[in-house]
């Protein structure tokens, strides 16, 4: 039996914890929500179910058509599909071309000085999130610095860093993987790619 309220509350607590501690990997619990999707990670779906509602506009980036996933999101959350320039959330499915992601980042909302909260949150899928030396993170919520290993290209990271240069403008990122793990990288976090990862 589905218990969406209970399960999404647990996911929300995990996301809140992860956003306040950038770079710290959180494991989402197995859920009673039977919404396994062949088109996205379960962690991605749970994040969307938790954060989306009728006021949310979303945009999906993928190399393939994802009409099934779009319909599923709309049916369960009442969120609406909008152009990239209007999206509150941008979902990047695993396998999406780097060039497609970078081009989308050039169009997405980053807020303005009066209303910096009118910016996009990006939910990016990757194969796995690990502790390791791929990225060095520093900033608020991090004790000196931490490192994580995710497969985000230098081009994507450079464009993200460009978007957050003029804080409080920018984007926040939630990275999910196939093992129900999430890691958050808010706009306040400094990201430095490390060689040899």
């Amino acid at each position: 039996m589905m218990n969406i309220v209970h399960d999404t509350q647990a996911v929300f607590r995990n996301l809140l914890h992860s956003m306040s501690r950038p770079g710290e990997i959180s494991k989402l619990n197995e859920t009673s929500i039977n919404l396994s999707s062949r088109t996205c990670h379960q962690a991605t779906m749970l994040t969307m179910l938790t954060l989306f509602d009728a006021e949310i506009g979303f945009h999906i980036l993928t190399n393939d058509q994802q009409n099934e996933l779009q319909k599923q999101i709309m049916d369960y959350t009442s969120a609406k599909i909008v152009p990239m320039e209007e999206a509150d959330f941008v979902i990047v499915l695993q396998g999406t071309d780097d060039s497609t992601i970078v081009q989308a980042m050039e169009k997405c909302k980053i807020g303005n000085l009066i209303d910096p909260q009118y910016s996009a949150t990006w939910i990016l899928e990757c194969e796995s999130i690990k502790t390791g030396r791929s990225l060095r993170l520093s900033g608020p919520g991090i004790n000196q610095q931490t490192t994580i290993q995710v497969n985000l290209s230098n081009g994507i990271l450079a464009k993200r860093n460009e978007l957050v240069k003029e804080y409080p403008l920018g984007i926040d990122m939630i990275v999910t993987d196939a093992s129900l793990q999430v890691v958050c990288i808010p706009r306040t976090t400094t990201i430095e790619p490390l060689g040899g990862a």
Side-chain angles (χ1 to χ4, degrees):
M1 181 176 178
M2 289 169 50
N3 188 348
I4 290 181
V5 172
H6 176 270
D7 288 329
T8 55
Q9 283 178 344
V11 173
F12 182 78
R13 288 192 295 271
N14 273 287
L15 292 173
L16 195 62
H17 176 88
S18 297
M19 195 61 79
S20 66
R21 293 169 176 79
E24 186 172 310
I25 301 169
S26 292
K27 174 85 170 180
L28 302 183
N29 294 329
E30 291 290 342
T31 175
S32 61
I33 304 175
N34 186 19
L35 291 176
S36 56
S37 173
R38 292 167 298 186
T39 55
C40 73
H41 296 330
Q42 188 177 13
T44 304
M45 180 60 76
L46 287 172
T47 299
M48 292 187 289
L49 285 173
T50 301
L51 300 179
F52 289 15
D53 60 27
E55 301 299 315
I56 293 296
F58 70 94
H59 190 92
I60 298 177
L61 282 184
T62 177
N63 294 334
D64 305 306
Q65 291 293 325
Q66 293 297 342
N67 295 332
E68 178 188 342
L69 179 59
Q70 291 176 352
K71 184 177 184 306
Q72 198 172 33
I73 296 169
M74 290 188 293
D75 286 347
Y76 280 99
T77 69
S78 299
K80 54 192 177 295
I81 302 168
V82 297
M84 170 60 61
E85 295 84 351
E86 301 172 20
D88 303 302
F89 284 85
V90 179
I91 301 101
V92 182
L93 299 185
Q94 186 175 329
T96 305
D97 292 335
D98 288 352
S99 59
T100 300
I101 300 171
V102 171
Q103 288 170 14
M105 285 182 160
E106 293 173 352
K107 301 177 184 177
C108 76
K109 298 192 301 185
I110 61 170
N112 58 62
L113 291 176
I114 297 173
D115 293 301
Q117 71 274 16
Y118 293 139
S119 59
T121 296
W122 285 62
I123 303 172
L124 301 101
E125 292 189 336
C126 69
E127 184 175 350
S128 64
I129 303 167
K130 305 174 184 175
T131 55
R133 291 185 52 80
S134 173
L135 305 176
R136 178 190 292 126
L137 308 182
S138 58
I142 301 171
N143 185 13
Q144 295 186 332
Q145 64 183 35
T146 189
T147 59
I148 57 169
Q149 188 170 334
V150 295
N151 57 333
L152 298 176
S153 72
N154 287 342
I156 293 170
L157 295 172
K159 177 55 67 175
R160 177 267 179 193
N161 288 344
E162 181 183 320
L163 294 179
V164 303
K165 262 190 321 194
E166 298 182 24
Y167 181 82
L169 308 186
I171 61 171
D172 300 311
M173 298 169 65
I174 301 170
V175 183
T176 67
D177 74 5
S179 301
L180 276 171
Q181 295 187 128
V182 297
V183 66
C184 294
I185 308 174
R187 71 193 68 188
T188 54
T189 300
T190 299
I191 305 178
E192 300 171 82
L194 297 172

